[in-house]
Amino acid sequence: MRKIAVLTSGGDAPGMNAAIRAIVRTSLNNDTGIIGFKNGYEGIIDNEYVTFDKRSVGNIIQRGGSILHTSRSLRFLKKKYRQVAENNLRALCIDGLIVIGGEGSTKGAIELSKISKTRCVVVPATIDRDMPLVGSTIGFDTAINTALSAIDKIRDTATTANVTHIVEVMGRDCGWLGIHAGIGAGAEVTIIPEVKIDITKLSKNIKNQLYRGKKGCIIILAEGGFPDGGQALADLLKEHDILDLRVTTLGHIQRGGNPSSVDRILATELGVDAVISLMNGASNVVIAKPINTIKRIDFEEIIKTDVKVDMYLHDLIENIA
């Protein structure tokens, strides 16, 4: 293999830089050229890239974000721009492309693979963990710990002032982040997109908690769990006589910060295997570590499988609140 390219796409996730580092150094250690396209798929369309050497990725394993930057490319949704991208890949003699990103980025890789001669693999990186079959994704562990750090502080003031707090975390279509944050924070309730909310049952639950002497309650709300977000939920709960409520939206702080050791290790493992997989002829696969070993999951398997959260973990939150 003569030359590999790498890009980061979609929402940024802590650990992307660790993956880039592993990919660059593994490529160069195997006498393979390596470039990085800037701004995700936009970089392939605009032919905007950097050429890496080993020193290019020094001192980045601990940094959040992505040194290549990311984007959500609307142009790449159109076939004519994907053809422009393919033409640029051919002109640059790119034999393999590694896409670091989440569910949307994987869909982009799938569409590109339909017209491209370049072998393509995906390294899953998304704080939402909204990809089936792959297990933990790069950035997920860091995002949980970032959320927990904030929720722990909110718990202090909620308990002191005896106030119910709604804490909105990310998770537009998938509740993994909300579930893990809910368990880790000892939340009374977690609301996720996968479970329809019963506002009467929820209000009764909270009132029972407070009646039994609970000093302040924490409701974790995944952003897709209730229409119009935390404030709309608070307004509705006030109509059910839960009057002392506060809303905190954690937002993009969950995307930032130095990656945890878990994410640095996962990113390194997946980055190395992505390069080795390409060199061994793999294509159209997601490189993942669902449990204890790295697997190569075909794009077709990813497409036809729905994302599922662990409902046992979801129910555990209320059972031990």
Side-chain angles (χ1 to χ4, degrees), residues 12 17 52 56 72 91 93 142 160 162-163 174 186 212 225 243 263 296 298 305 309 311:
D12 57 310
N17 282 326
F52 286 116
S56 302
R72 303 182 190 275
C93 301
T142 306
T160 301
N162 198 18
V163 173
C174 181
R212 292 198 301 267
L243 302 178
D263 280 326
R296 298 161 189 173
D298 290 340
T305 306
V309 298
M311 291 308 301

Side-chain angles (χ1 to χ4, degrees), residues 5-152:
V6 60
L7 62 84
T8 52
S9 174
D12 57 310
M16 281 182 163
N17 282 326
I20 293 169
R21 174 180 178 270
I23 289 163
V24 168
R25 293 196 169 168
T26 305
S27 298
L28 296 176
N29 287 341
N30 285 276
D31 299 318
T32 298
I34 176 76
I35 68 169
F37 285 109
K38 297 180 178 180
N39 302 313
Y41 290 113
E42 290 285 290
I44 312 182
I45 296 170
D46 295 332
N47 209 28
E48 187 177 7
Y49 62 90
V50 295
T51 301
F52 286 116
D53 59 33
K54 289 184 181 180
R55 298 278 66 80
S56 302
V57 292
N59 200 32
I60 70 168
I61 192 172
Q62 80 281 9
R63 289 170 56 185
S66 167
I67 61 169
L68 290 173
H69 307 291
T70 69
S71 71
R72 303 182 190 275
S73 177
L74 295 177
R75 288 191 295 169
F76 204 73
L77 297 174
K78 300 177 181 178
K79 188 174 181 179
K80 68 175 182 178
Y81 287 110
R82 293 197 295 273
Q83 188 59 56
V84 171
E86 167 61 5
N87 294 342
N88 288 336
L89 291 171
R90 297 278 56 77
L92 290 168
C93 301
I94 303 299
D95 298 313
L97 174 66
I98 300 173
V99 175
I100 305 170
E103 181 252 356
S105 303
T106 303
K107 288 180 178 177
I110 291 169
E111 291 304 312
L112 180 62
S113 70
K114 294 176 181 178
I115 64 169
S116 181
K117 296 178 181 179
T118 298
R119 296 204 297 272
C120 183
V121 301
V122 171
V123 171
T126 164
I127 68 167
D128 290 338
R129 192 179 165 179
D130 57 349
M131 295 177 66
L133 305 176
V134 303
S136 280
T137 52
I138 296 168
F140 180 65
D141 183 75
T142 306
I144 293 167
N145 285 300
T146 298
L148 287 179
S149 178
I151 297 166
D152 287 348

